Amino acid sequence: MDYVSALLPPFVMAVLFISVIRVIVKTQGGPNKAKEDAVVDAALARAENARQATDTRSKGTGV
């Protein structure tokens, strides 16, 4: 009976890990992919604009 108690935790963890991987794979793409991509692109554009704004401000001060 010791072998059952020794194998149960790794087996449970393996099942949970496989379940998480399946959920991740299933949620990739699909109808929401374009919406998610648009949100990421907008965030990157805002970050780039903010970086460029700070670059132009620091260059314009003559420091």
Side-chain angles (χ1 to χ4, degrees):
M1 203 62 190
D2 286 337
Y3 64 91
V4 173
S5 62
L7 291 176
L8 187 61
F11 179 75
V12 170
M13 291 300 291
V15 169
L16 290 175
F17 181 73
I18 291 170
S19 301
V20 167
I21 297 300
R22 288 184 66 196
V23 167
I24 290 172
V25 169
K26 282 185 176 183
T27 58
Q28 297 298 310
N32 292 328
K33 181 166 179 36
K35 191 181 343 176
E36 292 169 357
D37 289 345
V39 169
V40 171
D41 290 341
L44 290 174
R46 280 193 304 265
E48 181 66 22
N49 289 336
R51 185 184 66 80
Q52 288 177 355
T54 58
D55 285 348
T56 57
R57 271 190 245 140
S58 64
K59 289 179 184 175
T61 59
V63 175

